[in-house]
């Protein structure tokens, strides 16, 4: 997989890791951010949710065994002012959690899933695609 951004046509995306009958190994999402650039690796277990701003560089990582399914939702928020502040709060929460995890483990890369929740009460337009990210077997 290659680095990508969602771009100007959406405000962000949500990736939900779905359960399968065939557990997988590997996978997850890698995110790059900042200057100097910092790499964050999030392992995406079934039930985990990753929220991404539209201009965050990211990629899905390949699995090494099993079968992985995910639901990807691209969304646009009708109230841009509220969306910006909510997205910024969410990103700050995710960064803090990732940095705390790095400090706990004494590692450069995050090895645990980061979960963050934001409540907005704003209208959200979304389109969803269910995709099989990889099947190896």
């Amino acid at each position: 997989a290659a680095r990508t951004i969602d771009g100007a046509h959406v405000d962000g995306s949500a990736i939900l890791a779905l359960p399968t009958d065939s557990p997988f190994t590997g996978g997850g999402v890698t995110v790059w951010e900042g200057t100097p650039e910092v790499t964050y690796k999030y392992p995406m277990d079934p039930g985990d949710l990753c929220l991404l701003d539209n201009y965050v560089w990211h990629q899905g990582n390949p699995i090494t065994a099993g079968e992985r399914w995910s639901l990807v939702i691209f969304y646009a928020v009708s109230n841009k002012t509220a969306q910006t502040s909510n997205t910024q709060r969410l990103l700050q929460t995710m960064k803090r959690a990732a940095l705390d995890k790095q400090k706990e483990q004494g590692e450069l890369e995050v090895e645990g899933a980061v979960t963050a929740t934001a409540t907005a009460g704003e209208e959200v337009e979304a389109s969803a695609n269910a995709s099989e990210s990889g099947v190896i077997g």
Side-chain angles (χ1 to χ4, degrees), residues 22-116:
S22 175
F24 64 88
T25 56
V29 175
T30 299
V31 175
W32 294 270
E33 188 174 34
T35 304
E37 187 175 82
V38 178
T39 300
Y40 300 93
K41 291 188 177 182
Y42 301 103
M44 295 283 295
D45 293 324
D48 286 349
L49 176 67
C50 180
L51 301 171
L52 298 164
D53 192 48
N54 60 335
Y55 284 106
V56 172
W57 286 99
H58 61 280
Q59 77 177 21
N61 301 321
I63 61 172
T64 54
E67 183 175 302
R68 171 181 66 185
W69 287 83
S70 59
L71 175 68
V72 178
I73 299 170
F74 299 95
Y75 64 88
V77 177
S78 61
N79 182 332
K80 295 293 184 180
T81 303
Q83 185 269 335
T84 300
S85 62
N86 288 330
T87 299
Q88 292 304 320
R89 279 195 300 271
L90 178 60
L91 289 173
Q92 289 170 357
T93 300
M94 290 177 72
K95 284 181 195 177
R96 267 194 307 274
L99 291 174
D100 289 347
K101 189 74 169 179
Q102 284 176 331
K103 288 176 187 175
E104 284 176 19
Q105 296 182 350
E107 299 175 357
L108 179 60
E109 296 175 347
V110 177
E111 294 296 333
V114 175
T115 303

